[in-house]
Amino acid sequence: MFNIKENQTTVKKEILAGITTFFTMVYIVVVNPGILSGTGVPFDQVFTATIIAAVVGTLWMALAANFPIAIAPGMGLNAYFAVSVVGSSNGEISYQTAFSAVFAAGILFIILSLTPLRKQLIEAIPANLKYGITAGIGLFIAFVGLRGAGIITANEANLVGLGNLHSPGVILALIGLAFSVVLMVMNVNGALFFGMILTGL
């Protein structure tokens, strides 16, 4: 069904890759509700919706496209939604209205994905802009992680300051990060997964 032999892989390798992917992206289940709840959306509702979206999207990619990609709500747009759209409107735009716009955009994108226009739009975006978007989202996720670990904190002088590097949480995060980087340099499969296991222990 999944063309395991044709793709020169094994069930064991795919299960390990799936577990690694899950633990790498499961942060979104907590971070997404944390960001969107600032707009007034109940935390538990966003928590449940995030899980359902990830399950449905990932199963769709697996069963319909036979593609080993995990799908979940993305970082970046949720912050844009919470801060730029709802937060900066001074109460003029409620989260219900903003969600309605997101729903309409989602329907539009689904329709576009069923037409040849989708390919033309993707090809029309310059490569440097695609790389910039990818790097920007990666830096934003790293920023959220560093802030959550306490490595960086808010600072009135220059907005971002160095956190308390002597606190146990920061030391633990740095050890886990260093361990993961060493494993990645050594080309160890599942480096992030093993780094998270060590940090958790």
Side-chain angles (χ1 to χ4, degrees):
M1 178 180 180
F2 295 109
N3 303 320
I4 298 292
K5 292 182 179 179
E6 290 83 347
N7 292 317
Q8 299 179 349
T9 184
T10 63
V11 174
K12 179 182 177 182
K13 184 184 290 185
E14 293 302 311
I15 290 175
L16 180 61
I19 293 172
T20 303
T21 302
F22 171 79
F23 281 108
T24 303
M25 65 180 278
V26 75
Y27 73 92
I28 196 69
V29 171
V30 177
V31 175
N32 192 44
I35 292 174
L36 293 181
S37 61
T39 66
V41 189
F43 184 94
D44 55 343
Q45 291 182 14
V46 185
F47 180 81
T48 305
T50 302
I51 293 172
I52 292 172
V55 170
V56 171
T58 303
L59 285 176
W60 190 302
M61 292 299 292
L63 301 176
N66 192 24
F67 206 63
I69 294 293
I71 301 294
M75 290 291 291
L77 287 179
N78 52 5
Y80 173 76
F81 176 94
V83 178
S84 299
V85 178
V86 178
S88 64
S89 69
N90 296 321
E92 294 182 8
I93 300 177
S94 66
Y95 74 84
Q96 292 94 336
T97 303
F99 272 140
S100 299
V102 171
F103 178 75
I107 297 296
L108 180 62
F109 286 134
I110 289 175
I111 295 172
L112 282 175
S113 68
L114 300 175
T115 67
L117 184 60
R118 171 186 169 273
K119 183 179 179 182
Q120 295 174 2
L121 286 173
I122 292 174
E123 291 175 349
I125 300 173
N128 57 352
L129 184 57
K130 293 177 184 177
Y131 297 142
I133 291 171
T134 303
I137 293 174
L139 288 171
F140 178 71
I141 293 172
F143 184 86
V144 171
L146 292 171
R147 183 173 176 270
I151 297 174
I152 59 175
T153 58
N155 186 295
E156 292 183 4
N158 58 356
L159 300 180
V160 179
L162 194 61
N164 180 9
L165 299 183
H166 299 288
S167 69
V170 171
I171 293 172
L172 183 64
L174 292 174
I175 290 173
L177 180 62
F179 183 73
S180 298
V181 168
V182 169
L183 291 182
M184 290 178 72
V185 170
M186 295 172 62
N187 293 321
V188 175
N189 290 329
L192 290 176
F193 176 70
F194 294 128
M196 288 183 286
I197 292 294
L198 174 72
T199 307
L201 292 174

